[in-house]
Amino acid sequence: MSAIKRKAGEVVMPIEDEDDLLKITPLGAGREVGRSCIVLQYKGKTVMLDCGLHAGLNGQASLPFVDEIDPSTVDVLLVTHFHIDHAAAVPFYLEKTTFKGRTFMTRPTKGIFRWLATDYIRVTNTSNSDSTALYTEADLISAHAKIEEIDVHQQIEINGIKFTAFNAGHVLGAAMFLVEIAGVKVLYTGDYSREEDRHLVPAENPGVSVNVLITESTYGVQSHQPRIEREKAFLKQVRDIVRRRGCCLLPVTALGRTQELLLILEEHWGRNTQALENVPIFFISALGKMGTHLYEAYIMHMNQRIQRQFSRTGTNPFDFKYIKTRTNLAGVPETGPCVVLASPGMLQSGVSRQLLERWAPRPENGLIITGYSVEGTLARNIVNEPEAFQALSGGNIARRLSVKNISFSAHVDYAQNSAFIDEIRAQYVVLVHGEANAMLSLRANIIDKYKNTDYEIQVFAPNNIDTVRLHFQGEKLARVIGCLASKAPREGDWTAGILVEKDFNYTLVDPADLQEFAAVAPVVIEQQLQVPYISSFTLLRHHLEQMFGSMQLTKELSNNGEKHTLRIYDAIDVSHYSWKQHVEVEWQGNAMNDMVADSAVAVVLNIECSPASVKLTQSPCGHSHEHKDDTSGEADEHMHSETDQSDSAPDVNTWARAGGDSGMATKLAAFMGQQFAQVELSEDHKTLTVRMDSAVATVNTVSLAIETDSPILRSRLGPIVARIHRTLRTLSHRSEPLPEPEVEPEAEDGIDVLEAKDGMLDSESDAKSKHGDIVDGDDDDDNDNDMEDAADEMKIDVDSDIESDIGSDIMSDIDDMSDREDTGKTPVDVEFKDEPSAR
């Protein structure tokens, strides 16, 4: 492979994801001609291009190095044309390996391939034992049924792999393939020809931007004679041989360029009937007659010249008048003059080899090599005109017949290949299907040609099983469709939807359009969690309101008790049952609801161990404390009256008394800073400025009044200011004893509340004078030393004015909290007292 020369100062980006590497590995045709098989791997997808056999090798040795790639990972096999070196290993790969992907050929390629492969099996079994046969006729039939057809210019997509077939010239049905994976486009030419001949269209430019071009390099830097000059030289050589009454041997493939030679000979014999009418032309091939029918069936895949001739005369141009088709040597004369086209083209075996051994010793005979000869074959060696060659049966045969090489190979020469590379202008060019010297010469020539131009090109010439690694990290683009696309976006606009990825394509759609445009049916998942909880509903509601603000409340009565349900953001239901020791959280699963539900569960799990729960339920104690502020009791009374309220407007008078100072303003700014990025406190600590994008609002730190022109900012600031007010007011509360109520009989709906202070209880008389009747009291003066007994024996009457029997709920809460206190530690001050009702 070529070395990449880096420019000075070039920054090399590290490869973070191995899937961003496009890997191109020749399993055949790497610095050789034959057994073409190129593998592309990118983004977890694998494409195999061609799967042929080496004409100069036999058995397993002729196969590509298919064991280098796990066949089960190959998604698609694309075959460019029917020649042995590009397609003959397909039955083996489909039937003898773990390959489970899909295989594609053009319609003519699939039709002709079957008969050509059948001929290959016949020839192989004739010259080799059955043990060396790679597959049988049954394998071929089974494999042929699995091959799918693709039309020229048809695009097919399979699991994120897009590929399109384009005309390649070369032979009937030959295609080059444009493969696209995740936006990276690779064009594989296979064998291609850029000039139009008697029956084929030339190779075409796909007309799209290509990242990588994989092209043949069969002739390297050689250039062909012009087609007209080649035809003249060919016909002259044929005439010279038959005029000396010799036999002219043309080794050819059964189907392919042979049909071009037959058209040339038919036309020439028709123009020179008197001179050549007594000279027979034989086409000897087991597929000769079948080939005629096949080419007649695919007239519409040929060029306009053939189609016009067919429509004008109504006869098949391949139904020849001067050419006799045979399946064997019967009727072929021992001596000339005659012209014989016989397969196979490499003279390795078959009829062409038999005729060569028969005619080689006679000097009046002649051999014309008309196609490309693979290294290691007799066709390549005999061009050098050796004095003798080895017969198939052993021994040497003298060579006295004339040998000429006039190539009608439908491969591009240097001029055509170079022009095509310049048209495509791919950043990377990978050369395959060429012998090492020819390939390396072409590579050097291309690099030198574009050295001082604006075309930055990198050229690779890999060996077999060498991998070319190219890094691509394409930009991801998403199409916006459906109702999201109904309005043209403007600069700075935001849009939201569901991003759907399929086969490396991204689509942004509204959830309502998901099924219509993305073929995705939304499924609603109802989720429910049971969270352990044994405290009161009031405490639950308070903590959830601190997190989520105002919530919708519903209440249901049943034989078991009461069920309270809080609905958060109109999406999450938190249900509290008076007879259960857990709360139930229910919601419809989606990304947003799941997040809110997780937050609600976290709040519930932390309620019983939260210090805020203690402060929330704190009431005045039954013994004296020193208080500096006489209004603290009033603030305490106000706190209890608002315990069960939702986000309401803050009490300005209470705030002004308890928090309207610089310290409280600083705390207000700190809390606000957690909600907004831009918060400024004035120097006199009287004004707080909040900025959100272009909107501005001011908050009076004394009155908590909000001034702003933005309704959106106002709606957001209101609940936050109210929530901060409640939090700061509660934390700044200082207890003050309430006035002693008159002793009254225990109310029917009274709620027993346990009072505990520093783990100690006052005497029964003190408790009676402060809190009402004491049931089952103990007059022991040492009662202060027995906290647990007194706690079990003492009950206090409180009116139940608040919702959901808060007194009994809080009673159970504090019982649980007291039980969890570690003995030996100073108990926490805990008192519970509802606001006295008017009598």
Side-chain angles (χ1 to χ4, degrees), residues 480 484-497 508:
V480 180
L484 290 182
S486 60
K487 179 182 177 183
R490 294 176 298 178
E491 186 69 26
D493 283 357
W494 289 82
T495 188
L508 187 67

Side-chain angles (χ1 to χ4, degrees), residues 181-238:
I181 304 174
V184 176
K185 297 182 178 67
V186 179
L187 178 63
Y188 174 59
T189 65
D191 293 350
Y192 76 112
S193 174
R194 291 281 281 169
E195 65 178 8
E196 185 172 2
D197 58 19
R198 275 174 166 72
H199 70 294
L200 297 178
V201 297
E204 57 185 327
N205 185 336
V208 299
S209 177
V210 174
N211 302 102
V212 183
L213 173 64
I214 305 176
T215 181
E216 66 158 305
S217 55
T218 312
Y219 283 96
V221 294
Q222 297 181 40
S223 293
H224 299 319
Q225 282 183 302
R227 184 175 59 86
I228 296 177
E229 293 183 13
R230 273 182 288 160
E231 287 187 12
K232 288 181 178 180
F234 168 69
L235 293 173
K236 179 181 182 301
Q237 186 64 30
V238 171

Side-chain angles (χ1 to χ4, degrees), residues 4-33:
I4 301 175
K5 186 176 181 181
R6 303 193 185 282
K7 298 179 180 179
E10 181 181 357
V11 178
V12 181
M13 297 300 294
I15 298 173
E16 299 178 356
D17 189 350
E18 189 73 11
D19 279 349
D20 289 338
L21 285 177
L22 170 63
K23 300 176 184 178
I24 305 172
T25 307
L27 303 184
R31 299 196 185 183
E32 68 175 4
V33 176

Side-chain angles (χ1 to χ4, degrees), residues 34 62 191 199 312 393 507 530 571 661:
S62 65
D191 293 350
H199 70 294
R312 185 175 62 252
S393 59
T507 305
Q530 294 183 350
D661 55 23

Side-chain angles (χ1 to χ4, degrees), residues 24 61 121 215 229 238 256 265 285 287 425 521 687 746 787 822:
I24 305 172
I121 294 173
T215 181
E229 293 183 13
V238 171
L265 291 171
S285 171
L287 299 179
R425 297 188 74 81
T687 305
E746 182 178 350
M787 177 185 65
D822 294 336

Side-chain angles (χ1 to χ4, degrees), residues 694-747:
S694 59
V696 180
T698 59
V699 179
N700 189 305
T701 60
V702 177
S703 66
L704 301 184
I706 301 171
E707 295 183 3
T708 180
D709 295 333
S710 171
I712 296 177
L713 185 56
R714 179 184 299 277
S715 65
R716 183 170 178 183
L717 274 172
I720 293 174
V721 169
R723 198 176 306 152
I724 295 174
H725 157 253
R726 291 199 316 274
T727 303
L728 293 180
R729 180 201 62 204
T730 303
L731 295 176
S732 63
H733 167 69
R734 289 169 292 189
S735 301
E736 193 69 40
L738 294 176
E740 293 184 1
E742 295 181 3
V743 177
E744 295 179 357
E746 182 178 350

Side-chain angles (χ1 to χ4, degrees), residues 24-175:
I24 305 172
T25 307
L27 303 184
R31 299 196 185 183
E32 68 175 4
V33 176
R35 56 180 171 189
S36 290
C37 186
I38 316 299
V39 173
L40 309 179
Q41 295 171 296
Y42 186 56
K43 296 293 186 182
K45 308 297 181 181
T46 303
V47 178
M48 179 176 285
L49 303 167
D50 286 333
C51 191
L53 296 175
H54 198 295
L57 301 172
N58 296 317
Q60 295 282 340
S62 65
L63 285 169
F65 296 93
V66 292
D67 53 347
E68 292 291 325
I69 302 293
D70 182 0
S72 64
T73 65
V74 178
D75 299 287
V76 179
L77 169 58
L78 305 177
V79 180
T80 57
H81 62 285
F82 52 72
H83 276 160
I84 295 297
D85 62 327
H86 289 260
V90 169
F92 174 87
Y93 202 68
L94 268 59
E95 300 301 315
K96 305 294 186 180
T97 71
T98 58
F99 172 72
K100 300 299 180 186
R102 297 169 67 179
T103 306
F104 289 87
M105 299 178 180
T106 63
R107 190 181 305 273
T109 298
K110 180 181 178 182
I112 298 173
F113 160 72
R114 165 146 183 207
W115 302 107
L116 205 61
T118 300
D119 188 56
Y120 163 78
I121 294 173
R122 181 187 58 80
V123 173
T124 302
N125 289 339
T126 300
S127 57
N128 300 287
S129 64
D130 292 341
S131 60
T132 63
L134 295 174
Y135 51 86
T136 64
E137 183 75 21
D139 294 328
L140 173 59
I141 295 172
S142 176
H144 191 266
K146 298 176 183 177
I147 298 171
E148 302 176 57
E149 295 176 350
I150 181 174
D151 293 325
V152 174
H153 303 148
Q154 177 186 2
Q155 184 183 86
I156 295 178
E157 183 171 355
I158 300 174
N159 298 328
I161 303 171
K162 295 180 184 177
F163 53 92
T164 309
F166 295 91
N167 285 311
H170 192 61
V171 294
L172 178 63

Side-chain angles (χ1 to χ4, degrees), residues 490-521:
R490 294 176 298 178
E491 186 69 26
D493 283 357
W494 289 82
T495 188
I498 295 177
L499 186 66
V500 180
E501 178 188 0
K502 182 182 180 183
D503 299 336
F504 311 113
N505 295 319
Y506 299 87
T507 305
L508 187 67
V509 297
D510 187 88
D513 297 330
L514 195 61
Q515 187 167 4
E516 180 179 357
F517 292 103
V520 177

